[in-house]
Amino acid sequence: GNQHKMAAMATMSRLSMPLRSAGRSAAALSAAGAMRSFRTTPTASLKLQPETNVEGKRIKYFQIYRWDPEGSSKPYVATYPIDMGACGPMVLDALIKIKNEQDPSLTFRRSCREGICGSCAMNIDGTNTLACLARIDPKTPKCTIYPLPHMYVVKDLVPDMTNFYAQYKTIEPWLQVNDESSNTNKAVDPDGTVKENLQNKKDREVLDGMYECILCACCSTSCPSYWWNSESYLGPAVLMQAYRWIADTRDQSTAKRIEFLDDSMKLYRCHTIMNCTKTCPKSLNPGLAIARIKQVVLKSYV
């Protein structure tokens, strides 16, 4: 009986004592809990700091997809706090700042910073766009950044563009003239040197809205039909470029180009969902170009 009473008293004594764990104080436990509550990345990555520690700064959190094929971890999302008072207005500015000041292992493509090269195409807050043209929204507390969807990832935000470029090559995207020796519709120097293929202004205007494509693949990777049939369906970007050469009055391989595209998979997987036109960072209309290809193919049977 005395043993049971002593055990009960010891238990009550332990319950009345302050909480402790492995000799750590309550303050230490509280600090550890705070760190855990803000930690959204593996231990090796940056840990978020509570808002109370960054008073006076406009902090925005960038949640970025990370994956290293040479590492052992699965893909994860790392979160980085950025003081917007010390950062440029574009998402690319934030990515460069993170790479320079917080995590040099962060990998992404970028080049021109002017929406010309198409290198920095990625999915930002759910929309395919160019990081150099995407403004950071000051009204939201976070920004999510992923690589272009439904493509193999080389590392972090770098997608594998091999299949995309291979498909682009199949449309033979260059001016094709049957008789190079002919000077018809060509500008020729007095010494006989051919300078260029001539084209009137009206015919040239037909190419507007197509030649500006920078092959960033934002449109193709936003298309559900391309997601499921990327090995056979050419996709919005490549098809628009195919029509760019069909519509070019200087090109003499129109019939061959139309025959190549007249295929149930290459062309007719397009179901006019129009995600391509909605997401294009250059405000082009791939959906319209695809519709015109279908019209041209139909007329070839008449």
Side-chain angles (χ1 to χ4, degrees):
N2 291 334
Q3 291 180 350
H4 289 297
K5 289 182 180 179
M6 292 178 63
M9 292 176 63
T11 301
M12 294 297 294
S13 176
R14 286 195 298 269
L15 290 174
S16 64
M17 293 172 62
L19 290 175
R20 300 176 183 273
S21 177
R24 291 187 295 177
S25 65
L29 284 172
S30 177
M35 290 180 64
R36 282 196 297 273
S37 64
F38 284 92
R39 181 181 299 166
T40 58
T41 66
T43 304
S45 299
L46 183 73
K47 304 176 184 64
L48 282 181
Q49 297 178 356
E51 287 286 356
T52 54
N53 292 344
V54 288
E55 289 182 356
K57 297 182 180 180
R58 293 187 293 113
I59 299 298
K60 188 180 182 75
Y61 295 111
F62 289 81
Q63 298 180 334
I64 303 175
Y65 175 95
R66 301 298 308 273
W67 180 66
D68 185 355
E70 297 180 357
S72 58
S73 65
K74 295 181 179 179
Y76 61 94
V77 174
T79 307
Y80 304 90
I82 292 290
D83 177 13
M84 297 312 301
C87 180
M90 301 300 182
V91 172
L92 183 60
D93 294 322
L95 289 173
I96 293 175
K97 186 176 180 65
I98 291 170
K99 185 174 180 66
N100 289 344
E101 300 177 5
Q102 298 186 31
D103 192 345
S105 69
L106 178 62
T107 305
F108 54 91
R109 292 191 179 110
R110 88 288 184 276
S111 183
C112 73
R113 297 182 65 145
E114 295 180 351
I116 300 299
C117 70
S119 299
C120 63
M122 55 190 72
N123 185 280
I124 300 172
D125 286 332
T127 300
N128 291 355
T129 188
L130 302 176
C132 64
L133 297 184
R135 286 190 171 273
I136 300 172
D137 187 352
K139 299 179 182 179
T140 59
K142 67 178 183 179
C143 175
T144 58
I145 306 175
Y146 285 80
L148 291 175
H150 290 266
M151 297 186 79
Y152 291 106
V153 175
V154 178
K155 184 180 180 183
D156 294 343
L157 301 177
V158 179
D160 186 349
M161 304 285 281
T162 303
N163 181 63
F164 178 79
Y165 289 136
Q167 290 176 321
Y168 181 59
K169 183 179 179 180
T170 64
I171 67 169
E172 300 182 356
W174 56 83
L175 190 66
Q176 298 184 15
V177 179
N178 297 331
D179 187 2
E180 293 286 353
S181 62
S182 174
N183 291 337
T184 304
N185 293 327
K186 293 182 180 179
V188 184
D189 281 344
D191 62 358
T193 302
V194 177
K195 294 180 63 177
E196 60 183 323
N197 295 279
L198 298 177
Q199 187 176 48
N200 62 49
K201 292 183 178 180
K202 184 177 180 180
D203 290 338
R204 166 61 186 77
E205 289 175 356
V206 174
L207 306 181
D208 289 345
M210 294 186 288
Y211 81 88
E212 300 96 329
C213 174
I214 57 176
L215 297 173
C216 64
C218 283
C219 62
S220 292
T221 54
S222 72
C223 174
S225 295
Y226 191 75
W227 295 347
W228 314 133
N229 303 283
S230 60
E231 295 299 324
S232 50
Y233 174 48
L234 294 180
V238 173
L239 286 174
M240 183 167 70
Q241 288 307 296
Y243 183 68
R244 176 255 179 274
W245 293 105
I246 290 174
D248 195 325
T249 55
R250 299 167 296 176
D251 190 83
Q252 298 177 0
S253 295
T254 303
K256 183 182 74 172
R257 296 182 188 279
I258 293 174
E259 182 181 1
F260 173 76
L261 294 175
D262 186 11
D263 181 89
S264 61
M265 294 301 295
K266 293 176 184 176
L267 173 62
Y268 291 101
R269 290 304 92 191
C270 171
H271 299 302
T272 59
I273 299 170
M274 302 303 288
N275 278 3
C276 54
T277 299
K278 182 178 180 180
T279 197
C280 177
K282 302 293 286 186
S283 300
L284 306 182
N285 194 341
L288 178 60
I290 295 172
R292 287 177 174 169
I293 293 177
K294 293 176 180 178
Q295 289 179 332
V296 171
V297 171
L298 180 62
K299 289 179 181 179
S300 69
Y301 285 98
V302 177

